[in-house]
Amino acid sequence: MTDPALDTGPALDAVPGPDAVPGPDAGPGLDADTLRARVLASLTTARERTTLLTSCVEEPDLTAQHSPLMSPLVWDLAHIGNQEELWLLRAVAGREAMRPEIDGLYDAFEHSRAERPSLPLLPPDEARRYAAEVRGRVMDVLESADFGGARLTEAGFAFGMIAQHEQQHDETMLITHQLRTGPQALTAPDPDPVPLFTGPAEVLVPGGPFTMGTSGEPWALDNERPAHRREVAPFHIDTTPVTNGAYQAFIEDGGYDDERWWTKEGWTHLRHSGIRAPLFWHRDGGQWLRRRFGVTEVVPPDEPVLHVCWYEADAYARWAGRRLPTEAEWEKAARFDPATGGSMRYPWGDADPAPEHANLGQRHLRPAPAGSYPAGESPLGVRQLIGDVWEWTSSDFLPYPGFRMFPYKEYSEVFFGLEYKVLRGGSFAVDPVACRGTFRNWDYPIRRQIFSGFRTARSGAV
C-alpha cells in the first residue's frame, strides 16, 4: 500500500523559484479595476470559508490530527497564510520575509502529514494573526497591482493561484471535518428536492475530434495546458453519476466477494484493507447507514455515491458491464458543443458557475440527488458533470502534449506517472474558482476520504 501520509493531488505548495517564467496565455479581457474586484472577491470568499472551518470547533480539535491522511486544521490555517506570503508578498511584491523561520514547518514537501502534529506549529490564535497580517499586506499590494508584465502577474494569475490554493485547502479541511469524530460542528441547508430522475440512463457522445485543455483560461493551472486536439471514438456515458441505490445493488449482489470484477491490484487491496462498502457506511439490520459530518443517517438512494476509491468504481463498472470513462471522454462529454464543434468552459457554456448550474462552494454538505441542475447539463444532455462528486476516470495522470511547467514543478510535474488516477468535475466541497471544465485532480486509486464518486461509460454508437 502506498504511504497514506504523503500529500497527493492539487497542492500548490512550493516556494517560488527561478522557473517562474512568462507564458503564452491571453488575458481575461478585463480592465484592471474589474480584475481587481474579481481577485478581491475570490480571496475574500476563500478567507470567509477558512474562518468558518477553523472557528466552528474548539482548540483541541484544531490541533489534533484526526487521521494520518490529514494535517491538523491549525497546520492548514498557517500554511494558507505562509503560501500567500511566499507568492504574493515575496514573489510578486518583492517584500522581505515576515516569518522566514516558519517556512520549513509549512512546506508540504518537507514534512508528510503524519509528521506535522509533532512539529512546533503556531498555536491557533497566532496562526490566525499571522494569516490576517499577511492578508492585510496583500490588500495593499492588490490595490496598486497592474496585472501586467511577467506571466506570474499577467491577468492576476498569482492572485488567482492563491485563491485556488486556499479553496483547495478548505476542501481538505472539510475532509478533515468529515473524518473527525464527535458531535456535528458544521451545518448547511440541503439541496432543493427534485423529482426522481426519469430521463435516459445514458447519452451518446459522437466520435471525432475536439479541443481538450486550455491555452486561454487566465487562471488555469499548468496541467490543464495547452489546448490540443483529441480524437475520441463514439461512446455512451451515464447521464448522471452512479447513485447510492445502484451501488447498493452491487454490494447486495456480492460485488465485494467476486474477484471477477476487480483488477489484480484492486483485489489485493480489497483483501488487505477489508473494505466492504463505501467509507463511512455501515449496515444496521436491513438498512445501510452513513456518518456525515457528525450525523448518522440512512443512506439516501438517489444521491450520487460518495467516498469510493478508484478500485471500487472500476469494479462496479465491470459488474455493470461497462467501464470508467477516459479523461478525454469525460472532458468531451462536458465541454463539446455539437452545434459549433467547439469546446466550452463549462457544460452549460462559458458563463461562470451560478447556483442553478451546479452544487459547488460548500453551499450544501452533501451531493444533490441524481438528475439535479438541468440548467447545468451539457448540450448532449449529460448532467452534474460539475460539482456534487469528483468523478474517477480510467486515465493515469500524465502531461498533455506540449506541457510546460509553471510556475514550479511540485504542482503537477512531480506527480505525473502511472501511480495516480485522474478525477474530474469537482464536488460540493469545491469552490467555483477552483473548478473548470478543464480542471484536473488526481490521487492514488486507494483513496476514499476524498469526496469521490463516478459515472460509467461504454464504447460504440449503438
Side-chain angles (χ1 to χ4, degrees), residues 170-207:
D170 288 342
E171 182 178 10
T172 297
M173 288 194 285
L174 189 63
I175 292 170
T176 301
H177 274 279
Q178 169 63 10
L179 289 163
R180 183 185 68 87
T181 58
Q184 182 179 21
L186 293 168
T187 60
D190 286 341
D192 292 336
V194 297
L196 182 67
F197 181 69
T198 57
E202 63 179 8
V203 169
L204 172 64
V205 180

Side-chain angles (χ1 to χ4, degrees), residues 286-339:
Q287 64 182 354
W288 284 100
L289 304 179
R290 71 178 181 187
R291 180 170 60 82
R292 183 177 60 84
F293 298 106
V295 175
T296 298
E297 61 190 12
V298 176
V299 172
D302 299 331
E303 277 187 17
V305 68
L306 191 62
H307 296 301
V308 290
C309 70
W310 185 89
Y311 292 131
E312 290 170 290
D314 180 69
Y316 172 94
R318 294 167 185 262
W319 170 82
R322 299 169 68 83
R323 58 177 175 80
L324 295 179
T326 67
E327 184 182 11
E329 289 174 334
W330 188 98
E331 187 167 325
K332 185 168 186 179
R335 299 183 62 213
F336 181 68
D337 183 356

Side-chain angles (χ1 to χ4, degrees), residues 378-429:
S378 74
L380 295 170
V382 189
R383 295 196 180 184
Q384 293 170 284
L385 286 157
I386 298 292
D388 286 306
V389 295
W390 285 107
E391 298 185 15
W392 289 110
T393 72
S394 64
S395 298
D396 300 319
F397 184 51
L398 299 171
Y400 289 159
F403 168 82
R404 188 182 185 196
M405 177 276 294
F406 178 81
Y408 58 94
K409 65 181 181 179
E410 288 87 0
Y411 179 66
S412 302
E413 188 173 315
V414 299
F415 296 106
F416 289 143
L418 306 184
E419 288 185 83
Y420 302 100
K421 293 295 185 181
V422 174
L423 302 102
R424 287 302 207 103
S427 71
F428 65 87

Side-chain angles (χ1 to χ4, degrees), residues 1 24 38 54 57 59 69 82-83 112 134 165 167 199 234 241 255 274 296 310 319 334 339 343 347:
M1 180 184 297
R38 181 190 179 200
T54 55
V57 292
E59 183 168 328
L69 294 171
N82 185 246
Q83 288 293 298
S112 70
V134 171
H165 171 263
Q167 288 286 3
T296 298
W310 185 89
W319 170 82
S343 291

Side-chain angles (χ1 to χ4, degrees), residues 14-337:
V15 178
D19 294 319
V21 296
D25 283 37
L30 301 177
D31 62 78
D33 287 341
T34 303
L35 184 53
R36 189 172 291 108
R38 181 190 179 200
V39 167
L40 178 60
S42 298
L43 291 174
T44 301
T45 298
R47 186 53 48 88
E48 289 173 347
R49 187 179 177 195
T50 299
T51 301
L52 170 65
L53 290 164
T54 55
S55 63
C56 63
V57 292
E58 299 297 326
E59 183 168 328
D61 275 329
L62 291 175
T63 57
Q65 186 174 50
H66 299 283
S67 165
L69 294 171
M70 313 305 292
S71 307
L73 292 168
V74 73
W75 185 92
D76 286 289
L77 174 59
H79 169 79
I80 285 168
N82 185 246
Q83 288 293 298
E84 188 166 325
E85 183 199 347
L86 287 169
W87 286 102
L88 300 185
L89 297 184
R90 300 188 206 174
V92 170
R95 297 192 179 184
E96 292 294 322
M98 292 171 55
R99 301 283 299 269
E101 75 279 4
I102 69 172
D103 288 351
L105 296 176
Y106 298 102
D107 184 339
F109 292 90
E110 188 168 329
H111 301 286
S112 70
R113 287 174 176 169
E115 294 179 88
R116 292 171 192 169
S118 64
L119 300 175
L121 303 176
L122 300 182
D125 285 346
E126 190 174 352
R128 290 189 183 99
R129 286 195 298 271
Y130 170 62
E133 185 177 356
V134 171
R135 177 56 57 89
R137 297 185 186 190
V138 165
M139 290 298 99
D140 293 338
V141 173
L142 177 60
E143 188 173 340
S144 59
D146 62 9
F147 308 116
R151 174 68 182 95
L152 195 60
T153 53
E154 182 186 352
F157 174 81
F159 295 92
M161 181 180 74
I162 287 301
Q164 292 177 82
H165 171 263
E166 183 161 355
Q167 288 286 3
Q168 288 170 351
H169 275 273
D170 288 342
E171 182 178 10
T172 297
M173 288 194 285
L174 189 63
I175 292 170
T176 301
H177 274 279
Q178 169 63 10
L179 289 163
R180 183 185 68 87
T181 58
Q184 182 179 21
L186 293 168
T187 60
D190 286 341
D192 292 336
V194 297
L196 182 67
F197 181 69
T198 57
E202 63 179 8
V203 169
L204 172 64
V205 180
F210 83 106
T211 299
M212 187 171 184
T214 180
S215 293
E217 185 75 30
W219 289 1
L221 304 169
D222 61 2
N223 64 58
E224 302 171 64
R225 304 173 184 271
H228 58 286
R229 176 188 172 101
R230 283 287 179 98
E231 190 83 23
V232 175
F235 68 98
H236 289 79
I237 192 168
D238 290 339
T239 308
T240 69
V242 171
T243 64
N244 290 321
Y247 198 84
Q248 286 177 35
F250 167 67
I251 298 174
E252 302 304 330
D253 195 46
Y256 282 86
D257 298 307
D258 195 332
E259 188 174 357
R260 288 180 299 164
W261 313 129
W262 301 80
T263 64
K264 179 181 178 181
E265 297 80 7
W267 186 250
T268 299
H269 174 65
L270 188 68
R271 303 273 68 79
H272 175 73
S273 64
I275 60 176
R276 305 290 299 169
L279 187 60
F280 308 115
W281 285 31
H282 70 276
R283 192 189 291 275
D284 182 19
Q287 64 182 354
W288 284 100
L289 304 179
R290 71 178 181 187
R291 180 170 60 82
R292 183 177 60 84
F293 298 106
V295 175
T296 298
E297 61 190 12
V298 176
V299 172
D302 299 331
E303 277 187 17
V305 68
L306 191 62
H307 296 301
V308 290
C309 70
W310 185 89
Y311 292 131
E312 290 170 290
D314 180 69
Y316 172 94
R318 294 167 185 262
W319 170 82
R322 299 169 68 83
R323 58 177 175 80
L324 295 179
T326 67
E327 184 182 11
E329 289 174 334
W330 188 98
E331 187 167 325
K332 185 168 186 179
R335 299 183 62 213
F336 181 68
D337 183 356

